[in-house]
Amino acid sequence: MKPRIRPVIGLLAAPLPIIALAAVPAFAATPDAQSPSALRGDVVSAVSHSVRTGDVAADQQISVAVSLTQRDTAGLDAFLNQVTDPNSPSYQHYLTVDQFAQRFGATPQTVAKVSAYLASQGLKVGEVTANRLTIEATGTAAQVQKAFNTSLATYQDNKDGHSYFANTVAPSVPGDIAGVVTDVSGLNNYAKYTHFSTKSSAQATPDATPKAPAGLSPTSAQAAYNLTSTVKAGYNGKGVTVGLLEFSAFSQSDVSAYDKAFSIKPSTPTVVNAGGGTTDTSGQDEVDLDIEVVQALAPGATIKVYEAPNSDAGETAIYSKLVSDNVPVISISWGTYEAGETASNRVAVDADLKEAAAQGQSVYAASGDSGSDDAGNGGTSVDFPAADPWVTGAGGTTLAQGSGGVWKSEKAWSGSGGGVSSYFNTPSYQSKVNTGTYRSVPDVASDADPSSGWAVYTEGSWAEYGGTSASAPNWAAFTAVYNSEAKAKGKPSFGFANSRIYTLAASSSYKSAFHDVTSGSNGAYSAGAGYDKVTGWGSYNGANFLSSQLG
């Protein structure tokens, strides 16, 4: 059920304001400071089931991104506790990117020191993200190996036969800067991210304007989630930007055909490149699905498609870009099983997601399409980044509609990713429904069963798509609708989503604002009244949810 994406060569990193280095003295250190200090374990796990085929050519150009440690992490945690607590006077008093950088980003001196070290190793230092937490650099393989005290080799994966390069041992940096460097990405180009869209076996004819394509249309989707009157009233996402995180390119002609078929006139999505962007189109159906779901439910929203290579370097670049751009609503339909994420990348991405929460960005991620066994090894496991506590994990349901397309019922979809994280502790907002040590996933859900899925026009034909990849943009689109109504009424935007969702779910408005999903399972876990590890709190009842929050 999970289509795997082929590898692409990863460049790097998100270009943003440059920090001048001309006046910075060359890096100098004592012998002790120069002693290599290993970073967190960062050898891609695929090496364990691959055959080494040679060495990377010494003159091959390699682009890396060096992630820096956030400053005053205790202060950041305290700030997040306050800004996400409805009982705190600081509730929803979020930071701008510049304010975040000033309080929690690396100091200019730290950025200069790390940059000077990179330059001393022959690397060309590029740009620094606005939050001062990622430095871009390029050089030859020989220079990169020397700078990070590692070696780069070529491999062939025994599982699927594809070739890639990777570092053979964890990177290290001199002791003087080891304490401020959390990750070096770009040392491999192994494609590890899966997109979670699933196509129904039934497919329509390759006609861009069929009379009745199978699956949810803008009209029936709005009816199902009680948004028809809201969108007609003009609260359609206008003035709100939705950022889509993608590791594949898409075809605008497919999106235009979708719009024409349903007579909708949204603005044309724009592409924002991160880490050099991508020319890979193997996940085109995923991107088309994401765009078309948002356009169906929030036709007034501005869509920005953030594209990066499908690699750890691309991952670092795209998250850094999204938080540095402060995109208010983000949808993520790509992920990997938790243990498949390298330790250092997990730390780097989590740091960006903490920043997103501090800035009031609403981030939704598909929880996966393999039920309770995300890793596919016969056990129980969950998907990253949906498992990160600063993300709202979006699970899946099977939707049944009544006359006129209105919501009739939902049950848990068997493929809905869910369970218990192996890495992230139970966040405070979840403590009332999770007494365990580790975070539970997902937080919410919506239709993801391909048999009750979305009509999607992709690669020149219609098909019915499901997967939790449909759930993440669904919730993102609803958040855009929410924000457009909130702005019109002079009220705060949605902000960090889990704070608002868990607070509302604990109130007397829960049963009217949500569709509580109480039947079905994903393997190890079953849906039930209230919160569960298959559908979270359930799906949203649009008009009721909006009324309970915005009046």
Side-chain angles (χ1 to χ4, degrees):
M1 298 295 282
K2 284 186 177 182
R4 292 287 173 182
I5 305 304
R6 311 315 318 161
V8 292
I9 300 296
L11 300 176
L12 237 269
L16 277 163
I18 297 175
I19 293 181
L21 300 173
V24 178
F27 178 86
T30 64
D32 287 341
Q34 283 284 66
S35 298
S37 180
L39 302 177
R40 295 173 185 268
D42 194 9
V43 177
V44 66
S45 60
V47 168
S48 65
H49 53 75
S50 300
V51 175
R52 181 168 175 165
T53 56
D55 297 324
V56 173
D59 61 351
Q60 180 174 324
Q61 287 291 306
I62 303 290
S63 295
V64 297
V66 179
S67 298
L68 304 180
T69 305
Q70 287 173 338
R71 187 159 35 105
D72 187 17
T73 54
L76 175 57
D77 289 342
F79 173 79
L80 287 169
N81 286 336
Q82 295 167 4
V83 79
T84 61
D85 180 1
N87 298 316
S88 168
S90 298
Y91 183 53
Q92 293 194 323
H93 291 180
Y94 297 113
L95 302 175
T96 64
V97 174
D98 184 62
Q99 289 170 334
F100 184 91
Q102 293 299 322
R103 290 181 62 175
F104 305 115
T107 65
Q109 293 80 9
T110 293
V111 172
K113 187 172 186 178
V114 175
S115 298
Y117 170 73
L118 298 174
S120 75
Q121 300 301 299
L123 300 180
K124 181 180 179 181
V125 179
E127 295 176 318
V128 179
T129 50
N131 58 7
R132 299 204 299 260
L133 290 174
T134 305
I135 302 173
E136 176 185 353
T138 57
T140 64
Q143 291 167 331
V144 167
Q145 291 173 123
K146 180 174 178 289
F148 302 111
N149 197 37
T150 189
S151 59
L152 303 177
T154 56
Y155 294 89
Q156 184 174 46
D157 194 318
N158 282 335
K159 290 186 175 180
D160 57 22
H162 82 259
S163 299
Y164 64 96
F165 74 81
N167 51 305
T168 60
V169 295
S172 61
V173 293
D176 260 11
I177 62 173
V180 296
V181 175
T182 59
D183 183 31
V184 178
S185 61
L187 301 180
N188 75 77
N189 68 335
Y190 184 83
K192 61 183 180 182
Y193 305 106
T194 299
H195 63 85
F196 300 117
S197 60
T198 306
K199 183 166 64 174
S200 170
S201 57
Q203 183 167 334
T205 59
D207 175 7
T209 55
K211 294 181 179 179
L216 291 169
S217 67
T219 299
S220 62
Q222 290 174 25
Y225 288 106
N226 197 10
L227 287 175
T228 303
S229 60
T230 301
V231 172
K232 284 184 177 179
Y235 306 130
N236 60 5
K238 185 177 181 180
V240 181
T241 297
V242 177
L244 303 177
L245 183 153
E246 308 291 356
F247 293 115
S248 175
F250 70 99
S251 169
Q252 180 56 45
S253 62
D254 284 338
V255 176
S256 297
Y258 176 90
D259 298 339
K260 180 180 179 181
F262 292 117
S263 301
I264 58 175
K265 297 180 179 180
S267 60
T268 302
T270 58
V271 174
V272 181
N273 289 326
T278 184
T279 58
D280 176 39
T281 58
S282 58
Q284 177 180 324
D285 55 346
E286 170 59 57
V287 193
D288 290 342
L289 168 67
D290 290 346
I291 293 171
E292 291 168 16
V293 168
V294 174
Q295 290 187 339
L297 294 169
T302 297
I303 298 176
K304 291 186 177 181
V305 184
Y306 283 73
E307 295 180 358
N310 186 2
S311 63
D312 70 336
E315 179 187 45
T316 300
I318 203 166
Y319 280 97
S320 297
K321 182 68 172 170
L322 283 163
V323 295
S324 291
D325 285 0
N326 203 1
V327 181
V329 185
I330 298 170
S331 176
I332 305 167
S333 294
W334 303 72
T336 186
Y337 63 101
E338 272 193 311
E341 181 77 353
T342 59
S344 55
N345 263 46
R346 189 183 306 113
V347 171
V349 172
D350 179 63
D352 284 332
L353 293 170
K354 276 189 173 182
E355 179 179 349
Q359 294 171 176
Q361 295 172 270
S362 306
V363 184
Y364 300 93
S367 68
D369 291 0
S370 296
S372 58
D373 182 14
D374 195 73
N377 59 11
T380 57
S381 51
V382 295
D383 201 79
F384 182 84
D388 192 286
W390 304 109
V391 167
T392 300
T397 67
T398 300
L399 172 69
Q401 295 173 273
S403 177
V406 299
W407 186 90
K408 183 178 180 181
S409 67
E410 277 176 288
K411 64 180 180 180
W413 177 50
S414 60
S416 179
V420 181
S421 171
S422 297
Y423 299 95
F424 296 103
N425 291 333
T426 301
S428 58
Y429 60 76
Q430 199 177 63
S431 59
K432 291 184 179 179
V433 294
N434 177 11
T435 58
T437 302
Y438 295 101
R439 164 159 163 70
S440 295
V441 187
D443 302 293
V444 293
S446 63
D447 184 37
D449 188 336
S451 67
S452 63
W454 291 76
V456 173
Y457 194 82
T458 183
E459 300 180 73
S461 64
W462 287 97
E464 186 174 5
Y465 273 83
T468 53
S469 279
S471 186
N474 185 335
W475 271 90
F478 171 64
T479 302
V481 169
Y482 182 106
N483 286 355
S484 63
E485 183 170 348
K487 183 177 181 180
K489 294 182 176 180
K491 297 193 175 183
S493 62
F494 210 85
F496 172 55
N498 281 345
S499 175
R500 186 174 297 278
I501 288 167
Y502 279 78
T503 299
L504 177 57
S507 74
S508 59
S509 298
Y510 170 60
K511 290 188 177 180
S512 63
F514 288 83
H515 300 128
D516 187 11
V517 181
T518 60
S519 63
S521 77
N522 67 353
Y525 307 102
S526 297
Y531 179 85
D532 60 68
K533 298 181 183 69
V534 190
T535 64
W537 290 108
S539 66
Y540 63 87
N541 182 323
N544 289 0
F545 192 116
L546 293 164
S547 176
S548 70
Q549 298 292 285
L550 302 175

